């Protein structure tokens, strides 16, 4: 079963509180999501492998130093709301390629509807991070992960700001090979499929559409 990591760094938790607040407007919401995504990226890349190299500094020759090695990273935001987390992560991993999976959740059935997929050609070679602020029923994340696997992806992690326990369980059941990284595990889903306490509709708050 995939592991679940709740990233409890104080800066992440402090900023998340302001993201949640009803009175936080679009500009600040966007800025805070960007900052939290960067902080989360810092935490989830802790286990990236390093290799030793030799470099010349202005002072000595052949100094031992370390550089990243292993698989390259690919980011896959789930449209729309996942877009709000891309720039923050790219600041730390500027060479990451970015694929897009477009999904919306039907408001009646809560089922995900796929409308767009565009991925880097070498996804099977990359360590992919699927990003979406919200993991509610888990339907969208599962559909996105399925879509990536169908196209050859082999190593996938999921990064969300806020999750409901139902969504985490659904992903763990459907994709036991996928580890999940969260800023918070919330209490429940309400009858409309919204996370409580949550932060509302992440896409609408990011893009000012409601
Ligand atoms: O876990 P689930 O129950 O599938 O719900 C989570 C999905 O719902 C939201 O997207 P939404 O459908 O609002 O689309 P948007 O990003 O375009 O606003 C959110 O960004 C997730 O993708
Ligand atoms: O609480 C929720 C649930 C799904 N999608 C959102 O944007 N927010
Ligand atoms: Mg939305």
């Amino acid at each position: 079963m995939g592991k679940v990591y709740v990233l409890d760094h104080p800066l992440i938790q402090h900023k998340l509180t302001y993201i949640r607040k009803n009175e936080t407007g679009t500009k600040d919401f966007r800025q805070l999501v960007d900052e939290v995504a960067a902080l989360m990226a810092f935490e989830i890349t802790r286990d990236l492998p390093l290799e030793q190299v030799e470099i010349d500094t202005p002072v000595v020759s052949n100094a031992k130093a370390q550089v990243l090695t292993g698989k390259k990273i690919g980011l896959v935001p789930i449209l729309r709301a996942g877009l709000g987390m891309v720039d923050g992560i790219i600041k730390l991993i500027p060479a990451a390629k970015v694929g897009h999976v477009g999904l919306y959740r039907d408001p009646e059935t809560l089922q995900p509807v796929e409308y767009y997929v565009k991925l880097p050609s070498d996804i099977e070679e990359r360590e992919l991070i699927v990003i979406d602020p919200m993991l509610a029923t888990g339907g969208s994340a599962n559909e996105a992960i399925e879509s990536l696997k169908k196209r050859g992806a082999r190593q996938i992690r999921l990064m969300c700001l806020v999750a409901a326990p139902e969504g985490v369980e659904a992903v763990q059941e459907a994709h036991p090979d996928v580890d999940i990284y969260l800023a918070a595990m919330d209490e429940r889903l309400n009858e409309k499929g919204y996370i409580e306490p949550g932060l509302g509709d992440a896409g609408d708050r990011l893009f000012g559409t409601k």
Side-chain angles (χ1 to χ4, degrees), residues 4 37 49 55 66 76 100 106 124 142 151 171 201:
V4 180
I55 58 167
Q66 302 194 86
V76 184
H100 296 85
D106 182 289
E124 66 281 358
N142 274 344
R151 291 168 173 85
V171 174
D201 187 304

Side-chain angles (χ1 to χ4, degrees), residues 153-189:
R154 291 197 293 241
Q155 252 183 302
I156 303 174
R157 306 180 193 207
L158 174 64
M159 175 172 155
C160 302
L161 293 187
V162 174
E166 294 89 332
V168 169
E169 274 172 35
V171 174
Q172 284 182 318
E173 195 178 328
H175 300 288
D177 54 316
V178 172
D179 289 342
I180 303 171
Y181 298 80
L182 306 172
M185 173 80 100
D186 274 11
E187 287 167 25
R188 66 185 78 83
L189 282 182

